[in-house]
Amino acid sequence: FKVLASFAPAIDMDVAMPGSLYRDEEFTYNGWSPKNWYTNGYRGWATIRDGVRDSLNIVAAKTIVDVGVDNAFSYLENFGFTTLESGVNENGLTDRGAAISLGGITNGISTLELTAAYSTIANNGVYNKPVFYTKVLDHNGNVVIDNTQNEGKRVLKETTAYMLTDMMKDVITSGTGKLAKLNGITVAGKTGTTNLNKDGWFCGYTPYYTTVVWVGYDSPKTLDDLYGSTYPLTIWQDYMEKVRKRSVTA
């Protein structure tokens, strides 16, 4: 969620660029003190590009503060997320806070909507609402469902999408997503892991296809060795290799 909630708005609003520096250090904002996924202290100065490649939580948290939480929330809504708590619910919880930069979401999100959001970046910044059927006819030939006019809307500038993709290529070549490499084709993507290793994600795309893999239980519980860079990545890589071969054959 770092890419969608923090880095995409920052670049699109000219708040930061891939080379912008943030200090990876102890950080508190409005009583919230995020921690990095690694436990060996902090790394000091790091760029946005480093933050994407190495999944640096502090860099993402500081970036969303500079962007403004309300601005970031608007981008997430434009990315098509429908489960976000925009106000304060009956339990006193809201997603309109800096923790959303790290995927701190009250009701979670669907794999479908996350795929659509990453497809927006892959599609040069244009969002298309996911559809399962382009057209359905009844036995008399009457149109029951028609999604052939699924016009997209621009969410990001084309230059923003280009820079995000360029940074996410580093995730595959030298970052947390090395297992997602595909022979002979460029891959961009991002790993994700929730607290206590209850969920693992990999969101990745080639110039042709976007696929998101989630691994976890419907009722969340810790899974040994589950990170975005383990099971989700190997599943994604295996699946995408089959898709490629099938596409070439077709």
Side-chain angles (χ1 to χ4, degrees), residues 75-209:
Y75 271 89
L76 291 172
E77 290 181 317
N78 285 330
F79 274 125
F81 292 105
T82 60
T83 58
L84 305 179
E85 289 279 1
S86 60
V88 179
N89 67 14
E90 64 274 12
N91 297 316
L93 301 173
T94 180
D95 291 332
R96 199 179 286 272
I100 203 169
S101 62
L102 307 184
I105 304 165
T106 305
N107 301 311
I109 54 172
S110 75
T111 308
L112 178 65
E113 290 184 351
L114 189 58
T115 306
Y118 269 85
S119 293
T120 301
I121 303 173
N123 195 35
N124 297 319
V126 176
Y127 170 85
N128 286 286
K129 184 178 180 179
V131 296
F132 293 101
Y133 305 96
T134 52
K135 184 179 285 188
V136 176
L137 309 178
D138 66 15
H139 65 284
N140 292 319
N142 299 311
V143 177
V144 179
I145 297 175
D146 187 353
N147 290 320
T148 55
Q149 301 300 315
N150 184 16
E151 295 184 6
K153 67 173 182 178
R154 181 159 293 283
V155 174
L156 302 171
K157 292 179 286 191
E158 190 170 350
T159 51
T160 301
Y162 174 84
M163 285 186 275
L164 291 171
T165 295
D166 189 65
M167 289 189 289
M168 284 191 283
K169 290 178 185 177
D170 290 353
V171 174
I172 312 304
T173 58
S174 58
T176 58
K178 293 177 184 177
L179 292 177
K181 289 180 181 178
L182 299 173
N183 291 328
I185 195 167
T186 301
V187 176
K190 184 72 185 71
T191 57
T193 310
T194 58
N195 291 344
L196 302 177
N197 305 84
K198 293 181 178 181
D199 302 271
W201 298 86
F202 183 70
C203 310
Y205 53 92
T206 69
Y208 307 101
Y209 301 104

Side-chain angles (χ1 to χ4, degrees), residues 1-23:
F1 228 62
K2 299 178 182 73
V3 170
L4 303 174
S6 291
F7 302 138
I11 292 174
D12 207 57
M13 293 170 59
D14 297 326
V15 170
M17 288 287 113
S20 296
L21 285 167
Y22 285 87
R23 189 165 181 82

Side-chain angles (χ1 to χ4, degrees), residues 168 171-173 175-182 187-193 200-205 211-215 225-241:
M168 284 191 283
V171 174
I172 312 304
T173 58
T176 58
K178 293 177 184 177
L179 292 177
K181 289 180 181 178
L182 299 173
V187 176
K190 184 72 185 71
T191 57
T193 310
W201 298 86
F202 183 70
C203 310
Y205 53 92
T211 299
V212 171
V213 174
W214 164 75
V215 175
D225 300 321
L226 175 60
Y227 300 92
S229 58
T230 56
Y231 308 125
L233 261 182
T234 54
I235 293 170
W236 187 95
Q237 200 272 348
D238 183 67
Y239 169 75
M240 290 294 276
E241 281 287 7

